[in-house]
Amino acid sequence: RLTQTHRARLAESDCPALRGVVAMLDLFLRRKGRDSTPMYDPVTLSMAYTDEYIQTEGMCVAVRMKDGVLSLVPQHCGEPNMSISVSVEPQRFVEMLVNRLLN
């Protein structure tokens, strides 16, 4: 989760872009009525450049759609046909993100 501690670190920056990020974060948190937010999308997007924060495992699955709900059904078909996330290190990711934004 991106917490108020992370927000305070970002708010100390003199960078106009980071001030904008903090203002948008404040607005988002206020509208959601919370003081922190999970970083689902950013940690997922990090997979474009590193596999350091999300570990995946090759699995054989079938994709099913029922009543508008998409689901993945494990299959015993041998060769993996998809990489599935099996664990994530969200705190390490958030610390990296905040440090990268500040540098």
Side-chain angles (χ1 to χ4, degrees), residues 45-91:
L45 289 170
S46 76
M47 291 293 290
Y49 64 90
T50 185
D51 60 359
E52 188 173 347
Y53 307 104
I54 297 178
Q55 291 69 49
T56 61
E57 188 175 298
M59 295 182 187
C60 187
V61 298
V63 179
R64 301 275 197 274
M65 176 74 81
K66 183 176 181 181
D67 299 326
V69 176
L70 183 75
S71 61
L72 301 177
V73 181
Q75 302 291 300
H76 299 287
C77 59
E79 288 296 314
N81 61 357
M82 192 175 289
S83 292
I84 304 292
S85 299
V86 293
S87 67
V88 65
E89 297 183 56
Q91 296 308 322

Side-chain angles (χ1 to χ4, degrees), residues 22-34 36-38:
V22 171
M24 287 187 290
L25 176 63
D26 289 345
L27 177 64
F28 174 79
L29 293 175
R30 198 168 39 253
R31 286 188 176 176
K32 292 292 186 177
R34 48 188 177 182
S36 65
T37 187

